[in-house]
Structures are given as structure tokens and as C-alpha cells.
Amino acid sequence: MTRANEAWESLMKAYAVLMKQFNAEDVWGDLTMREYDVLYQLSKCGGPLRMSELNRHVLLSQPALSRMVDRLVERGLVDRCPDPGDRRGVRLSLTPAGRETQLAIGRPHARSVTRALGVLSADELEQLAVITGKLAGNEER
């Protein structure tokens, strides 16, 4: 096995362990972790996002994301508004209830993440952020 394959396997194992741990926590209310992720991604943007922009940030297919957004709209957590730059398009944003829900779940989830990553030193956390940023294409290689 090459070093790259070993590193990849280690990354995937760590991801699986952490996601199972987070999923088991009683912080999600009546949302799934994936639904929360959509709310979280919308909370990070400076304004409404097109579906294609949102899709770049979540681990869902376009059809699955569309169905999820439909459910979040029905529940009053996400709003659709016309895209002023494209009459055929729509933009998505959090409703006030969606923002409140995201914050209510986000606070305890952030504490869980801090606890889970507490096994790393400050230097290791920085290295992890740099490495995963490179892998995600957020930094020059």
C-alpha cells in the first residue's frame, strides 16, 4: 500500500469515527445531520445562495439536495427567492426560524467538535486545517 493510500484510509477512518460520534449525540432535535449541514452552510454565506453554489459545499447529489431543500422550505427553515440575475433561478437563504434552529444546534455541536478534536495540540490543529484546506482546494498547492 502506498503512503498516499495509507493516509487516505486513515483520513476516512477518522471521518467515519467522528461522524458516528457526532450523529449519536442528542443535539440534532428533529433534524438530521445532513439537514443541519444545509442550514450551517447557508448561515456561513453573506447572502442568498443558488442551489448550485450550495451543492458545492454539501456531500449530497443535486437531486437529493433539491428534495432536502424542499423539506426545509416546507418546515419554514429555508426561504426561496427569485434570483435577480437569472429569472429562471432561485436563491436560498435561512428564515429567522432557520437561523434560530441553526444556532441552537450549532452551539452544542461546536462544543462536541472541540471535545473530539481536543486530543490534538494547537500545532496539530493548525496542521490539520492546512492539510485539509489543501485537499479541499482552498489553498495553493
Side-chain angles (χ1 to χ4, degrees):
M1 185 181 288
T2 68
R3 194 74 168 138
N5 287 61
E6 289 172 1
W8 174 251
E9 189 175 309
S10 179
L11 177 63
M12 290 294 93
K13 184 176 180 182
Y15 174 79
V17 167
L18 289 172
M19 293 307 285
K20 284 178 185 175
Q21 180 181 326
F22 297 145
N23 194 42
E25 293 182 339
D26 187 23
V27 299
W28 308 109
D30 60 351
L31 293 181
T32 66
M33 275 181 30
R34 290 192 189 263
E35 288 171 330
Y36 170 75
D37 188 34
V38 169
L39 298 184
Y40 175 72
Q41 296 303 327
L42 289 172
S43 77
K44 289 179 18 175
C45 62
L49 287 181
R50 293 181 57 102
M51 184 75 75
S52 59
E53 294 169 320
L54 178 59
N55 191 244
R56 283 185 229 133
H57 301 284
V58 296
L59 191 58
L60 290 169
S61 68
Q62 184 74 36
L65 179 58
S66 293
R67 289 189 300 275
M68 183 179 292
V69 166
D70 288 344
R71 291 191 303 271
L72 293 171
V73 167
E74 286 175 21
R75 293 166 69 181
L77 301 174
V78 172
D79 230 353
R80 282 192 180 100
C81 58
D83 184 344
D86 178 0
R87 292 185 303 181
R88 298 169 293 145
V90 295
R91 292 193 171 264
L92 306 169
S93 61
L94 291 178
T95 64
R99 187 164 304 285
E100 186 176 305
T101 299
Q102 187 278 314
L103 288 171
I105 293 170
R107 288 181 186 113
H109 178 54
R111 288 190 292 272
S112 296
V113 169
T114 299
R115 273 193 308 276
L117 296 183
V119 299
L120 302 176
S121 69
D123 286 344
E124 289 169 330
L125 285 171
E126 181 62 30
Q127 290 172 348
L128 180 63
V130 168
I131 291 167
T132 55
K134 283 182 179 181
L135 291 173
N138 297 336
E139 294 189 10
E140 295 291 319
R141 291 182 193 230

